[in-house]
């Protein structure tokens, strides 16, 4: 069963912040985050393996709350290059299920 | 230098035809996957192979048949193509490092007319 992402879409001005949420009805053992730009392949951003873990990649960071079975991706001081569709993925025994994606648009 | 390469990048074909998509990775990864991405961007797992062995076979029509001649290659053959098969197909691979993510190929845009 795939995780649920919210919001489905968000529009930002450069420099604004955004949060993308990912939740699962099943126990989460790890959460992946990917970004896909238009016409390109998804690109791995980061993985969170433990509850309470936080990671960072440029000005993009994420947290993982194992008990609540959810993860959040934080985009700080967004740049035009952050535009794309963000996917969370939950991995169980080599079986990755992706959320439906959040389309992020950053405008000048 | 390409880590995961797929061919062809674009495929336009008529209904009823049979076609193949090839995928190769030079990362030394043990596990390879096929995902289908529909027009709404939803990424759906189709198959997964680990060291040439099929480990995930989702509910896809049996017109789709994966083949892994060795752990660096995973091809997808589709028989009797239908309009609904039009999508972007992504190959991906992952190594044994549990902290690693998936590396995707650039995708094959299949259009059935």
């Amino acid at each position: 069963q795939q995780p649920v992402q919210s919001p489905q879409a968000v529009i930002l001005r450069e420099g604004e912040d955004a949060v993308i949420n990912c939740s699962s009805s099943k126990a989460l053992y790890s959460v992946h985050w990917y970004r896909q730009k238009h016409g390109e392949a998804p690109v791995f951003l980061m993985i969170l393996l433990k509850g309470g873990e936080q990671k960072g990649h440029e000005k993009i960071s994420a947290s993982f709350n194992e008990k609540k079975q959810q993860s959040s991706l934080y985009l700080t001081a967004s740049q035009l290059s952050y535009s794309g569709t963000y996917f969370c993925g939950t991995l169980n025994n080599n079986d990755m299920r992706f959320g439906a994606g959040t389309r992020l648009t950053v405008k000048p | 230098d390409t880590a995961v390469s797929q061919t062809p990048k674009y495929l336009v074909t008529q209904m009823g035809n049979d076609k193949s998509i090839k995928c190769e990775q030079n990362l030394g990864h043990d596990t390879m996957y096929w995902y289908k991405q529909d027009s709404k961007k939803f990424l759906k797992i189709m198959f997964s192979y680990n060291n040439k062995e099929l480990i995930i076979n989702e509910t896809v029509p049996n017109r789709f048949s994966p083949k892994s001649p060795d752990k660096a290659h995973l091809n997808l053959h589709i028989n009797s193509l239908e309009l609904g098969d039009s999508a972007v197909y992504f190959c991906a691979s992952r190594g044994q490092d549990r902290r690693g993510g998936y590396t995707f190929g650039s995708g094959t845009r299949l259009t059935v007319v």
Side-chain angles (χ1 to χ4, degrees):
Chain A
Q1 190 170 359
Q2 78 232 40
V4 176
Q5 280 185 241
S6 63
Q8 287 185 330
V10 59
I11 300 175
L12 301 173
R13 293 283 178 193
E14 254 186 310
E16 291 181 340
D17 302 339
V19 180
I20 300 171
N21 298 304
C22 175
S23 63
S24 174
S25 58
K26 287 185 162 185
L28 286 180
Y29 301 103
S30 67
V31 178
H32 289 221
W33 285 98
Y34 293 78
R35 176 171 63 205
Q36 184 180 27
K37 295 193 178 235
H38 182 69
E40 298 180 9
V43 173
F44 175 65
L45 292 176
M46 65 190 81
I47 182 174
L48 298 107
L49 291 174
K50 306 186 278 199
E53 184 172 18
Q54 296 194 341
K55 299 285 286 291
H57 175 82
E58 299 170 348
K59 287 185 180 176
I60 301 172
S61 61
S63 64
F64 178 22
N65 187 323
E66 204 171 1
K67 283 185 180 175
K68 291 186 179 179
Q69 297 171 189
Q70 58 187 215
S71 175
S72 295
L73 188 72
Y74 307 93
L75 298 104
T76 307
S78 58
Q79 305 168 15
L80 295 177
S81 62
Y82 287 179
S83 291
T85 301
Y86 289 78
F87 294 94
C88 69
T90 55
L91 186 65
N92 188 11
N93 288 333
N94 276 319
D95 184 352
M96 175 84 81
R97 303 288 162 146
F98 288 97
T102 296
R103 179 175 287 187
L104 180 79
T105 305
V106 181
K107 295 188 172 181
Chain B
D1 282 326
T2 306
V4 181
S5 59
Q6 282 180 240
T7 53
K9 192 166 174 63
Y10 299 96
L11 191 50
V12 180
T13 188
Q14 291 188 326
M15 274 196 316
N17 284 350
D18 303 338
K19 290 293 176 187
S20 292
I21 306 172
K22 294 187 175 182
C23 179
E24 176 182 2
Q25 54 97 1
N26 62 5
L27 297 166
H29 287 172
D30 295 310
T31 311
M32 296 183 72
Y33 309 84
W34 278 111
Y35 278 86
K36 178 181 180 180
Q37 188 170 48
D38 60 24
S39 56
K40 294 187 178 178
K41 296 279 198 181
F42 182 57
L43 275 163
K44 186 178 186 324
I45 180 79
M46 298 176 71
F47 302 103
S48 171
Y49 270 75
N50 183 270
N51 275 322
K52 302 193 300 173
E53 190 178 330
L54 180 67
I55 55 172
I56 294 172
N57 184 358
E58 277 297 284
T59 310
V60 299
N62 57 16
R63 298 181 293 104
F64 290 80
S65 53
K67 279 208 177 127
S68 181
D70 55 61
K71 79 172 197 177
H73 295 83
L74 180 60
N75 304 322
L76 183 66
H77 188 76
I78 316 169
N79 288 327
S80 304
L81 278 154
E82 300 178 357
L83 293 176
D85 297 332
S86 296
V88 180
Y89 292 83
F90 284 103
C91 176
S93 71
R94 186 175 192 239
Q96 291 188 341
D97 180 1
R98 63 191 290 264
R99 302 205 69 87
Y102 283 26
T103 303
F104 284 85
S106 57
T108 296
R109 181 173 292 275
L110 172 67
T111 304
V112 183
V113 296

